[in-house]
Amino acid sequence: MKRVFTIAEKNWQGSCLQYKWQKTLGNYLAVAGFNSFSRSRPRRAAVLMALARVCVYVLRFDNSIKIFDRHGQRVNEFNLPGKCVAMDWDKDGDTLAVIADKSSGIHLWDANINKISQLDSGMRDQMSFILWSKTGPLLAVGTAKGNLLIYNQQTSRKIPVLGKHTKRITSGCWSSQNLLALGSEDRSVTVSNHEGDTIRQTSVRSDPADIQFSVMKTDERASPGESTIQSVSSAEDSINSRESQSDNQSSEVDVVSVAVGKKTLFLFNLTDPDNPIELAFQQRYGSIVSYRWYGDGYIMIGFSQGYFVVISTHIREIGQELFQAHNHKDSLTSIAISQSLNKAASCGDCCIKIHDLTELKEMYAILNLDEETKGLDQLSWTDDGQLLAVSTQRGSLHVFLTRLPILGSSSGTRMAYLTSLLEVTVANPVEGEAPVVVAVDVEPNFIAIGPYHVAVGMNNRAWFYAFGENGVERLKDTEYLGTVVNMCLNADYAAALFEGKVQLHTIEGEEQEERQTKLFSGGDDKYRILSHALTADFLFFSTDTGLIQCFFIEDWQNINEYRHPVGVRRIFPDPSGTRLIFTDDKSDGFLYCPVNDMVFEIPNFSPTITGALWETWQGDKGVFVAYDDDKVYTYAFHKETIQGPRVILVGGTKLPFSHKPLLLHNGELTCQTQSGKTNSVHLTSHSFLNTNFSEASNEQLTQMLQKALMLKRFQEAWELCKLVNSTDTWAEIGRTCLHHIEVELAVQVYRMMGNVGMVMSLENIKTIEDQNLLAGHLAMFSNDFNQAQDLYLASSCPSAALEMRRDLQHWDSALQLANRLSPDEMPFISKEYAIQLEFIGDYVNALSHYEKGMTKDNKYQEHDEACQAGVARMSIRMGDIRRGVNLAIKHPSRALKKDCGAILESMKQYSEAAQLYEKGQYHDKAASVYIRCKNWSKVGELLPQVSSPKIHLQYAKAKEADGKFKEAAMAYESARDWDNVIRILLEHLNNPEEAVRIVRETQSIDGAKMVARFFLNLSDYGSAIQFLVLSHCSDEAFQLAQQHGQMEVYADIIGPEATAEDYQSIALHFEGEKQHLLAGNFFQKCGQFSRALKHFLKCSNTEDSLAIEKAIETVGEAKDDALTNQLIDYLMGESDGMPKDAKYLFRLYMALKQYREAARTAIIIAREEQSAGNYRNGHDVLFSMYTELLTQKIKIPSEMATNLMILHSYILVKIHVKRGNHLKGARMLIRVSSNISKFPSHIVPILTSAVIECHRAGLKNSAFSFAAMLMRPEYRNKIDLKYKKKIEAMVRHPDTSELEEDSTPCPFCGFQLPECELLCPGCKNNLPYCIATGRHMVKEDWSVCPHCDFPALYSQFIQLLETESVCPMCLESLSVNQVRRISDCSSYLQLNELEQ
């Protein structure tokens, strides 16, 4: 709060002042003081000055009254005959009444004409009190002897009332009903009417003071007596809340309040005078200094000890303090309340403290007057609350500015606002320019600012100031033809609004004479201009008839006008003049574009809106705010959207109390306050500009994102989306980009989302230049199909609307568009529409559209056939069955016949349905419907083509009922109802063979039971048991088998499906029958291995071989050492003294998986077989053992491998000789003969064969050596006679020539060695041999048998398999196609090393 002026007269020093503000206007302050040593006359110059400007009157005590204006200038002074006793202004502030000591006259000063007059009271005693009425021209004057005078200024009537009181009248108050309450030193209070008649009177305990009228709320009668106020802490509830909680049924009564003896507060109820209320206070508060009524029956009281207390007069709260504060430490001298400001002030201790009445706990302001060491005296506010005066005890008076008129204006980013009564500040906070203070000559009523000028004015006069390098310079002042309401400036011109007219004129500079000024008026009262605005190029004004006129300054002519239905109150153009906001008489808001005369209603426009501001930040040209006293609403005008231009509400921001917006820049609203300062308010719609995103929650970020999108702040929205990073937020920004036709940005957004389809769609349309077509596509992507259609129709490609409606299956709209755009498409759309109508059951309209869909053009035959099919279906559904059936029969489609047949069947038109099914070759359906008609003859005709078992079954039952069992059996068989087939065959056709066949094939349980019963009746127990088992009647089958000695048959039948209990039952049966082999067999199957072995070893000699095999199998399964040892003892002959064949021991070891022992046994067996001449058996034993050891990854004994190789070489001899390959046979015989000792039974035949084959193969030397061996005495006589002479001759005449053996590389080291050599001299490895030739293997010609995995030379193996069909090693069937050459044989060579 700013101090406006201080009055400190020397002759007032040390005395207290008496002063009064002019009522209502507050333009004068009258001051009176004591100890005056000089008398001054009114100065005429001051009087003249008072006439020229608004003044404040100050009354002064030194037997003179001094009058000051509101700027502290003395405007008048007049002397009194004595010291000033009292003074008061009338209700309008026109007349000041003063009474003085030692005078019976009343001095009246007229503020309007600055004239002093004197009124003779007619009273002879000293006057002590004077007070003007609050509502009329009545003046009450009291005297020292208790007499009263009521003077009517309007009628000059005087009403003397003698003896109103017996002593001095000291205080009084007028009510709003013109009742006068007076207090006197006679300790009584009277209430009189305006005629002076006493209507109420009461006595008090002490001298009354500070009498006031008010109203008090009560809902019950108060009992007489005194109520003591109890101290409470700070307000438990705010006064506002108590006002809202006041009893709705309480009534208001007039009450007179009196401070009695400065100790108590006396409340005198005029309607209940017998029950007054007297409130006493705590002694620590001190005496009552002053009190004031305010609000809804509340009283604020100031106490001498510095306490500041608020009480309520509501009867329920009258004993409580609502608020209490020790405002001043030492003393409190005065309190004052301003209802217009809603503020309360108290003074004391050299300071003034101001509270807001809505929140008393908070201190609004503190004014320190440290220079006033003697203390402060009285406080007084002007009625409008603008000025607060405080007098001091040293005789000075200070006036503070508590509320400044909010006057301000802005142009671009520059603004001018009133900072004091005679001071205007120009500032540009956006550009960072230093504020410039302009001292003005008058207290202005309006302010205007332009790019280079500022103007202030009052009434019909304006002063212009220019911004220069040296500061602000005054240019000129201009008078207008009426009181200026508002003024606007641009760079060159000023426009003033007065009396419904606008005057446009230049500010400075030389213009053409006709362009210097122009007056805009309605003329002949056609209209009154209500508002105007000036931009750089245009003057806009609006009228009470709804006209908005645009005047182009450069061309000096009107260029545009718009007529609104009702009067336009205010207009607010943007800086460029291309957009204009206006409000009308209905308090609605609109945005008008003069360029194209488009008008948009502003949504959610509050009827209390008082003004609007456009955003000055270049990035938000379409953003503006509208504001009222409490709130600011942010709007955005979107010029280009898929829905066309539109205005949207972005958000609302609460406006602090008494803030007037002046400037909006980038979401920051600069407001002017009552204190003459500016304050920035950040709009909630722009909260994303002033928020630390890292500290915001996801919900807050989402809300800020929505605001950013509404304002088209896409860069900030992108950053917010990256922080939230959710699909929903990216989708939201994507939809907004589509809405605002921001295709490139939309592509980026949907690419970020990974929405490939949308990206591709947008890429396809982004090059479209037709704005309507592009917007139509975007509206369609946004699912706004109606808008898309309108845009398509307005574009260069209206057919896109039809295409869209067809794709969406909006057939009504599609037909309307096709009729308008493409009539040739109507049949096709009608067909598609008919399909949908048929689907939803609207058959009437479907039939109509199918008929409309017919083109009767051979080019569209398929289309017409579809329509004909629809007509057929719909005709049937509509009841025209004959037409529908005929159309369906003629139609080539089988599916149509089926559909129509189904419809007819649902309508119970079975004959026609069956006919259509038959025509459509749906024999199953046709037969089913014929069955429903009981038309068995037609069913029989169709039966060969029917595949449905259900139909066959129905037919079979019908035939069985007719006794035609053979046909019934065939039908049951077609229906796959095997049980009934079996039943018919057994019961009626006597064909058990066929029944048995069917049971075996179908495994029918019920059928098996029927067959079993049949055979049981025939005493064929084996067959009966078989079919009982098949029907899962195992118990019956077992009993039958036991009764009739068919247990073996039963055991064979149950097979692998039997349980352990079944096997045990069978085993026990055979055990009882002493059939040990069978008993052991079934004990083994049920897992009782000990009992099984016991029975196997008891078997007779005839069953010995099989029994031993089963015993070995049993021990192998049991894996029980005791059983194993028992069997070994048996095989070794220890139990019966008869050793068994070694092959059984081998098989035992194999069963027990004791492969090493099995291998040793196998060698022994093989040796025995060789000795016996059973070379193939020995080979097979060694081979099986060899492969088993390989499987178990056990090293192969070298003796086993060598014996297997020799035996295999012997077997190959026969193969090669049979194939005529004598060289290969001779080579193998050489290998066998070299180990002839392993073939003791056939030494001579083998050597003889070797001699013959070597001779045939050209191996003469080898033949000679073997012939010489045969000539030994032990062999010579055993030679076959037919070869003996030849062999002897060969010995006698030796031929030592020998065919040299080919060499091949070693597969391990590559050393060249004879191809039949199996030991490499180079690496000393035993080489793997070919199972087809016996030669050693070669890397490049490697293959294996797919069954036994033994190696073979690929080329030789293929040749061998051309004549042989089995592998020579494992004897498994083999073909050439199964053998594959192996390029990498390293794994087989490693395996060979393992064998070694």
Side-chain angles (χ1 to χ4, degrees):
M1 292 184 179
K2 186 175 182 180
R3 189 182 305 190
V4 181
F5 61 88
T6 297
I7 301 173
E9 299 285 338
K10 290 183 179 180
N11 50 0
W12 289 346
Q13 290 182 1
S15 65
C16 294
L17 301 180
Q18 183 181 6
Y19 63 95
K20 288 283 186 178
W21 280 108
Q22 181 190 27
K23 290 180 182 177
T24 307
L25 299 176
N27 291 332
Y28 296 107
L29 182 65
V31 185
F34 297 99
N35 302 327
S36 176
F37 297 100
S38 63
R39 298 180 182 269
S40 59
R41 298 181 179 178
R43 291 182 287 180
R44 297 184 181 274
V47 174
L48 294 175
M49 188 180 296
L51 295 174
R53 61 178 177 265
V54 179
C55 300
V56 178
Y57 300 95
V58 180
L59 199 77
R60 133 182 196 201
F61 281 110
D62 53 357
N63 292 351
S64 67
I65 300 294
K66 294 183 180 179
I67 301 172
F68 297 86
D69 65 12
R70 58 193 288 135
H71 305 297
Q73 301 296 319
R74 186 186 301 175
V75 296
N76 203 345
E77 180 179 355
F78 57 90
N79 290 323
L80 299 174
K83 67 178 182 180
C84 178
V85 175
M87 56 183 164
D88 193 31
W89 292 91
D90 69 353
K91 66 180 182 65
D92 297 320
D94 294 332
T95 304
L96 174 67
V98 184
I99 57 176
D101 192 14
K102 302 176 182 178
S103 172
S104 61
I106 303 171
H107 299 269
L108 301 176
W109 182 72
D110 192 327
N112 296 321
I113 61 176
N114 196 17
K115 181 180 179 181
I116 300 170
S117 61
Q118 189 169 349
L119 173 68
D120 184 8
S121 66
M123 298 291 189
R124 298 303 177 196
D125 50 344
Q126 174 66 44
M127 289 179 289
S128 60
F129 167 78
I130 191 168
L131 188 67
W132 283 98
S133 170
K134 295 178 180 178
T135 58
L138 300 178
L139 177 64
V141 182
T143 70
K145 292 183 179 181
N147 298 320
L148 173 67
L149 173 68
I150 299 177
Y151 169 67
N152 189 325
Q153 187 184 25
Q154 186 174 351
T155 63
S156 299
R157 180 188 177 193
K158 299 177 186 177
I159 303 175
V161 181
L162 302 178
K164 176 63 70 174
H165 287 274
T166 58
K167 292 185 180 180
R168 174 187 293 270
I169 296 176
T170 56
S171 61
C173 181
W174 286 95
S175 74
S176 56
Q177 289 82 25
N178 265 348
L179 296 179
L180 175 64
L182 297 174
S184 170
E185 291 179 355
D186 61 5
R187 296 188 178 182
S188 66
V189 176
T190 60
V191 179
S192 309
N193 60 19
H194 65 282
E195 297 289 339
D197 300 328
T198 301
I199 58 176
R200 289 286 185 271
Q201 183 170 359
T202 186
S203 59
V204 293
R205 300 181 182 182
S206 184
D207 292 342
D210 204 355
I211 297 178
Q212 298 181 32
F213 268 103
S214 187
V215 293
M216 175 177 167
K217 289 196 173 181
T218 179
D219 52 2
E220 60 185 21
R221 292 181 61 84
S223 59
E226 182 178 289
S227 177
T228 302
I229 301 297
Q230 301 297 322
S231 174
V232 293
S233 58
S234 299
E236 296 175 1
D237 300 297
S238 70
I239 292 171
N240 286 338
S241 66
R242 292 181 179 273
E243 289 180 359
S244 65
Q245 295 170 3
S246 61
D247 193 347
N248 292 332
Q249 295 180 351
S250 64
S251 58
E252 293 183 352
V253 296
D254 290 328
V255 66
V256 176
S257 59
V258 184
V260 178
K262 297 186 178 181
K263 293 297 183 183
T264 63
L265 193 62
F266 185 83
L267 303 180
F268 182 57
N269 189 342
L270 298 183
T271 60
D272 187 14
D274 297 330
N275 294 295
I277 298 173
E278 190 167 3
L279 305 175
F281 303 92
Q282 300 181 55
Q283 292 184 359
R284 65 188 180 95
Y285 290 168
S287 59
I288 297 175
V289 173
S290 179
Y291 72 93
R292 294 288 182 270
W293 287 79
Y294 75 96
D296 187 22
Y298 298 101
I299 303 175
M300 182 179 294
I301 310 169
F303 293 91
S304 59
Q305 295 300 319
Y307 286 93
F308 180 62
V309 176
V310 174
I311 66 171
S312 170
T313 60
H314 294 210
I315 200 65
R316 293 179 179 177
E317 300 173 335
I318 206 161
Q320 299 180 22
E321 290 181 4
L322 302 181
F323 176 77
Q324 178 253 91
H326 198 181
N327 247 19
H328 303 277
K329 183 178 179 182
D330 295 328
S331 65
L332 180 148
T333 58
S334 180
I335 63 170
I337 287 180
S338 171
Q339 300 288 357
S340 59
L341 282 181
N342 206 31
K343 299 285 190 299
S346 67
C347 65
D349 296 343
C350 303
C351 69
I352 303 170
K353 294 187 178 181
I354 300 175
H355 297 259
D356 194 319
L357 291 178
T358 58
E359 189 58 55
L360 288 170
K361 295 178 184 178
E362 302 296 330
M363 189 71 68
Y364 177 77
I366 300 177
L367 302 175
N368 289 310
L369 296 168
D370 296 333
E371 70 273 16
E372 300 297 340
T373 56
K374 291 186 177 182
L376 307 180
D377 189 19
Q378 296 296 317
L379 277 175
S380 181
W381 244 305
T382 57
D383 287 351
D384 60 8
Q386 289 188 7
L387 298 174
L388 173 64
V390 58
S391 61
T392 70
Q393 296 184 13
R394 70 179 182 90
S396 59
L397 187 141
H398 305 276
V399 177
F400 294 89
L401 185 64
T402 54
R403 184 176 74 173
L404 191 66
I406 299 180
L407 292 177
S409 177
S410 64
S411 173
T413 58
R414 180 177 282 129
M415 58 186 180
Y417 53 95
L418 191 66
T419 51
S420 186
L421 294 177
L422 298 174
E423 181 181 282
V424 174
T425 299
V426 178
N428 191 338
V430 176
E431 301 294 336
E433 298 177 4
V436 178
V437 177
V438 181
V440 297
D441 296 333
V442 296
E443 184 177 341
N445 289 337
F446 62 85
I447 296 176
I449 189 171
Y452 310 113
H453 308 87
V454 64
V456 299
M458 181 183 71
N459 298 333
N460 67 335
R461 194 171 181 184
W463 287 261
F464 293 89
Y465 300 83
F467 307 133
E469 295 180 357
N470 299 324
V472 179
E473 300 177 357
R474 177 173 168 179
L475 287 178
K476 63 178 181 179
D477 61 284
T478 303
E479 289 190 7
Y480 299 93
L481 301 177
T483 300
V484 177
V485 178
N486 190 24
M487 178 174 282
C488 301
L489 306 180
N490 66 10
D492 302 312
Y493 288 87
L497 173 64
F498 56 88
E499 296 181 358
K501 305 171 184 177
V502 170
Q503 181 175 344
L504 177 68
H505 63 88
T506 57
I507 300 172
E508 59 178 324
E510 296 183 359
E511 289 282 348
Q512 300 175 9
E513 184 175 348
E514 66 274 8
R515 293 171 61 93
Q516 285 188 354
T517 184
K518 182 176 179 65
L519 183 65
F520 299 88
S521 65
D524 299 329
D525 295 327
K526 290 182 180 178
Y527 59 75
R528 283 179 55 81
I529 298 176
L530 301 180
S531 177
H532 78 300
L534 193 61
T535 67
D537 301 310
F538 306 101
L539 168 67
F540 295 93
F541 62 84
S542 64
T543 71
D544 56 353
T545 60
L547 174 67
I548 298 178
Q549 189 85 42
C550 177
F551 180 78
F552 187 29
I553 297 174
E554 184 175 344
D555 292 348
W556 206 249
Q557 63 179 359
N558 294 323
I559 60 170
N560 181 271
E561 68 177 31
Y562 165 74
R563 294 191 177 275
H564 192 62
V566 296
V568 178
R569 294 180 187 170
R570 300 288 302 278
I571 57 174
F572 308 94
D574 69 349
S576 64
T578 57
R579 299 163 187 162
L580 179 142
I581 305 163
F582 68 87
T583 59
D584 62 13
D585 286 340
K586 294 182 179 180
S587 298
D588 294 328
F590 299 88
L591 188 142
Y592 168 58
C593 298
V595 177
N596 52 18
D597 274 346
M598 294 183 69
V599 178
F600 308 95
E601 185 172 2
I602 301 175
N604 305 110
F605 196 78
S606 172
T608 59
I609 294 297
T610 58
L613 287 175
W614 285 92
E615 173 67 77
T616 58
W617 188 62
Q618 292 298 313
D620 278 346
K621 289 185 178 180
V623 176
F624 63 91
V625 296
Y627 56 86
D628 55 20
D629 293 339
D630 301 317
K631 202 167 184 181
V632 179
Y633 303 89
T634 306
Y635 293 92
F637 174 61
H638 297 154
K639 184 177 179 182
E640 292 185 354
T641 71
I642 58 177
Q643 297 175 347
R646 56 185 302 202
V647 180
I648 64 167
L649 174 64
V650 180
T653 306
K654 183 173 176 57
L655 198 61
F657 176 72
S658 193
H659 277 51
K660 178 187 175 183
L662 283 181
L663 175 67
L664 175 62
H665 182 79
N666 199 19
E668 183 177 344
L669 189 66
T670 304
C671 301
Q672 185 182 0
T673 67
Q674 287 183 348
S675 62
K677 298 179 181 178
T678 58
N679 186 30
S680 293
V681 175
H682 294 285
L683 299 179
T684 56
S685 57
H686 293 67
S687 58
F688 53 87
L689 298 176
N690 310 295
T691 303
N692 186 354
F693 293 158
S694 61
E695 297 177 358
S697 65
N698 268 3
E699 184 179 355
Q700 292 172 326
L701 291 174
T702 303
Q703 292 174 354
M704 288 188 282
L705 171 64
Q706 292 173 351
K707 300 297 184 185
L709 292 177
M710 288 182 181
L711 294 169
K712 293 181 66 175
R713 302 287 284 258
F714 291 114
Q715 183 176 355
E716 291 83 356
W718 183 276
E719 296 300 324
L720 287 165
C721 272
K722 287 168 65 178
L723 287 172
V724 177
N725 197 25
S726 73
T727 305
D728 292 341
T729 54
W730 284 113
E732 181 69 22
I733 191 174
R735 288 191 294 269
T736 306
C737 291
L738 297 181
H739 177 75
H740 292 292
I741 321 182
E742 297 284 348
V743 182
E744 290 290 348
L745 184 56
V747 169
Q748 297 178 34
V749 172
Y750 285 110
R751 185 173 286 126
M752 179 70 75
M753 293 173 62
N755 191 336
V756 179
M758 186 62 82
V759 171
M760 294 179 66
S761 300
L762 292 172
E763 289 284 358
N764 290 336
I765 67 169
K766 69 179 183 180
T767 56
I768 295 176
E769 294 182 1
D770 187 332
Q771 195 72 2
N772 286 328
L773 182 59
L774 177 62
H777 288 311
L778 297 178
M780 181 178 65
F781 295 160
S782 302
N783 297 329
D784 191 353
F785 305 119
N786 291 332
Q787 183 68 28
Q789 175 177 316
D790 294 341
L791 291 166
Y792 282 141
L793 294 176
S795 72
S796 59
C797 183
S799 61
L802 175 59
E803 183 180 350
M804 178 191 72
R805 290 299 184 184
R806 290 187 68 173
D807 292 342
L808 293 171
Q809 298 185 356
H810 295 171
W811 303 116
D812 284 328
S813 300
L815 282 171
Q816 293 174 7
L817 291 170
N819 186 38
R820 170 182 168 188
L821 300 173
S822 180
D824 294 340
E825 292 292 319
M826 290 190 66
F828 305 100
I829 297 173
S830 293
K831 186 201 80 170
E832 292 171 346
Y833 192 13
I835 292 172
Q836 184 181 8
L837 290 170
E838 180 181 2
F839 178 74
I840 64 176
D842 188 355
Y843 304 126
V844 176
N845 290 320
L847 176 62
S848 172
H849 283 286
Y850 275 128
E851 291 172 341
K852 291 177 182 177
M854 301 288 292
T855 63
K856 299 179 182 179
D857 189 338
N858 291 333
K859 290 193 301 181
Y860 306 113
Q861 182 178 355
E862 184 177 350
H863 167 81
D864 285 353
E865 287 179 355
C867 291
Q868 289 170 358
V871 171
R873 289 193 302 273
M874 296 306 100
S875 296
I876 292 173
R877 288 197 182 276
M878 296 303 298
D880 193 352
I881 295 175
R882 179 176 296 178
R883 179 191 181 194
V885 170
N886 290 336
L887 287 173
I889 291 173
K890 294 177 183 178
H891 201 281
S893 171
R894 288 181 64 231
L896 175 63
K897 295 177 177 64
K898 180 181 179 182
D899 293 341
C900 292
I903 296 170
L904 288 166
E905 188 177 358
S906 67
M907 298 170 65
K908 298 185 179 181
Q909 303 294 322
Y910 299 123
S911 177
E912 292 82 357
Q915 180 185 2
L916 285 178
Y917 282 137
E918 188 176 359
K919 290 287 184 182
Q921 298 179 6
Y922 294 99
H923 302 107
D924 287 10
K925 297 290 291 183
S928 175
V929 177
Y930 278 131
I931 286 173
R932 299 178 76 172
C933 298
K934 308 296 183 182
N935 191 343
W936 299 109
S937 60
K938 292 294 291 183
V939 175
E941 293 176 11
L942 293 173
L943 212 57
Q945 289 84 31
V946 173
S947 60
S948 171
K950 183 178 178 181
I951 295 173
H952 284 282
L953 187 61
Q954 289 176 311
Y955 184 75
K957 289 179 179 178
K959 288 299 177 182
E960 184 180 359
D962 292 344
K964 299 179 179 179
F965 300 112
K966 189 172 183 180
E967 293 179 15
M970 294 174 60
Y972 277 129
E973 187 172 358
S974 298
R976 299 187 178 277
D977 188 350
W978 306 113
D979 293 345
N980 280 319
V981 174
I982 295 166
R983 179 177 58 79
I984 296 293
L985 289 172
L986 294 176
E987 294 179 0
H988 300 291
L989 298 179
N990 196 24
N991 190 349
E993 294 83 1
E994 184 66 17
V996 168
R997 182 189 66 79
I998 292 173
V999 169
R1000 292 186 186 280
E1001 288 180 359
T1002 63
Q1003 298 292 306
S1004 169
I1005 294 174
D1006 292 336
K1009 287 181 181 179
M1010 287 187 284
V1011 172
R1013 283 195 297 271
F1014 179 83
F1015 282 118
L1016 192 59
N1017 293 332
L1018 296 177
S1019 300
D1020 186 352
Y1021 302 114
S1023 299
I1025 290 169
Q1026 179 182 357
F1027 287 100
L1028 282 173
V1029 171
L1030 195 61
S1031 64
H1032 297 168
C1033 297
S1034 300
D1035 292 340
E1036 292 86 341
F1038 180 81
Q1039 292 172 6
L1040 188 64
Q1042 200 171 26
Q1043 291 172 6
H1044 300 282
Q1046 301 289 326
M1047 191 59 69
E1048 290 186 49
V1049 175
Y1050 172 71
D1052 291 339
I1053 291 171
I1054 62 173
E1057 296 180 359
T1059 63
E1061 290 79 6
D1062 294 336
Y1063 287 132
Q1064 184 177 4
S1065 301
I1066 297 171
L1068 290 173
H1069 172 78
F1070 285 122
E1071 186 179 31
E1073 298 291 327
K1074 304 296 184 180
Q1075 297 184 29
H1076 298 295
L1077 183 61
L1078 291 172
N1081 190 20
F1082 286 101
F1083 275 127
Q1084 179 193 358
K1085 289 183 178 180
C1086 70
Q1088 298 184 22
F1089 301 115
S1090 176
R1091 298 179 73 175
L1093 181 61
K1094 176 183 174 182
H1095 283 285
F1096 286 139
L1097 296 182
K1098 286 182 179 181
C1099 289
S1100 62
N1101 293 334
T1102 56
E1103 299 173 342
D1104 193 38
S1105 176
L1106 179 59
I1108 293 173
E1109 293 287 351
K1110 296 297 291 183
I1112 291 171
E1113 183 180 336
T1114 301
V1115 171
E1117 287 183 26
K1119 294 182 175 58
D1120 187 331
D1121 292 343
L1123 295 180
T1124 303
N1125 293 333
Q1126 183 181 351
L1127 181 57
I1128 291 174
D1129 291 344
Y1130 176 79
L1131 293 175
M1132 299 301 291
E1134 294 183 6
S1135 59
D1136 57 359
M1138 297 175 61
K1140 306 301 182 292
D1141 195 334
K1143 66 181 181 181
Y1144 297 123
L1145 193 59
F1146 166 70
R1147 289 172 185 166
L1148 175 61
Y1149 285 135
M1150 290 295 290
L1152 295 173
K1153 297 183 180 181
Q1154 297 178 5
Y1155 300 112
R1156 297 185 188 277
E1157 290 78 0
R1160 289 194 291 270
T1161 308
I1163 293 172
I1164 296 170
I1165 294 171
R1167 191 182 299 133
E1168 291 177 354
E1169 294 288 351
Q1170 281 180 265
S1171 299
N1174 299 323
Y1175 305 122
R1176 169 51 77 180
N1177 291 343
H1179 177 276
D1180 292 345
V1181 170
L1182 290 176
F1183 170 73
S1184 63
M1185 193 66 239
Y1186 190 99
T1187 54
E1188 188 65 34
L1189 291 176
L1190 280 180
T1191 303
Q1192 302 300 326
K1193 297 183 180 180
I1194 299 173
K1195 184 176 180 181
I1196 309 296
S1198 60
E1199 184 180 358
M1200 178 182 287
T1202 301
N1203 288 347
L1204 179 60
M1205 180 269 294
I1206 293 171
L1207 286 172
H1208 190 67
S1209 299
Y1210 177 78
I1211 289 171
L1212 287 177
V1213 171
K1214 293 182 179 180
I1215 296 173
H1216 292 317
V1217 171
K1218 185 179 71 172
R1219 295 180 70 243
N1221 196 331
H1222 298 288
L1223 179 59
K1224 290 180 182 177
R1227 293 291 185 194
M1228 293 300 100
L1229 278 170
I1230 291 172
R1231 181 182 293 167
V1232 171
S1233 299
S1234 300
N1235 296 278
I1236 195 64
S1237 61
K1238 297 184 182 295
F1239 302 89
S1241 299
H1242 298 86
I1243 293 176
V1244 173
I1246 291 173
L1247 289 175
T1248 301
S1249 298
V1251 171
I1252 294 170
E1253 291 301 319
C1254 287
H1255 189 269
R1256 285 178 179 176
L1259 304 177
K1260 303 294 179 63
N1261 189 38
S1262 296
F1264 170 73
S1265 62
F1266 294 130
M1269 190 180 296
L1270 281 172
M1271 290 297 104
R1272 293 177 182 174
E1274 62 267 28
Y1275 304 139
R1276 188 168 186 172
N1277 294 327
K1278 298 178 181 179
I1279 301 173
D1280 192 344
L1281 293 177
K1282 64 181 178 180
Y1283 299 119
K1284 188 174 182 181
K1285 288 184 180 181
K1286 291 182 182 180
I1287 293 172
E1288 289 175 346
M1290 197 179 297
V1291 173
R1292 291 190 187 101
H1293 305 286
D1295 184 354
T1296 58
S1297 63
E1298 184 86 356
L1299 185 64
E1300 186 176 357
E1301 187 176 0
D1302 293 338
S1303 297
T1304 53
C1306 168
F1308 291 100
C1309 63
F1311 183 82
Q1312 293 288 331
L1313 70 159
E1315 57 187 2
C1316 289
E1317 183 64 46
L1318 299 181
L1319 178 64
C1320 176
C1323 60
K1324 306 302 180 183
N1325 277 320
N1326 288 323
L1327 306 184
Y1329 56 90
C1330 170
I1331 60 174
T1333 62
R1335 298 171 183 172
H1336 71 75
M1337 291 298 295
V1338 179
K1339 275 186 176 182
E1340 292 76 14
D1341 197 22
W1342 199 290
S1343 68
V1344 295
C1345 170
H1347 301 297
C1348 62
D1349 215 32
F1350 270 77
L1353 294 171
Y1354 176 76
S1355 57
Q1356 300 299 323
F1357 205 13
I1358 295 300
Q1359 291 177 12
L1360 177 67
L1361 291 176
E1362 290 176 355
T1363 57
E1364 302 294 328
S1365 61
V1366 296
C1367 170
M1369 178 62 77
C1370 62
L1371 299 181
E1372 294 288 340
S1373 297
L1374 194 64
S1375 65
V1376 174
N1377 296 332
Q1378 292 177 267
V1379 181
R1380 297 286 183 270
R1381 187 189 298 274
I1382 296 173
S1383 58
D1384 183 8
C1385 60
S1386 58
S1387 61
Y1388 295 96
L1389 293 176
Q1390 293 171 3
L1391 183 62
N1392 190 73
E1393 291 178 352
L1394 174 65
E1395 296 171 7
Q1396 297 177 25

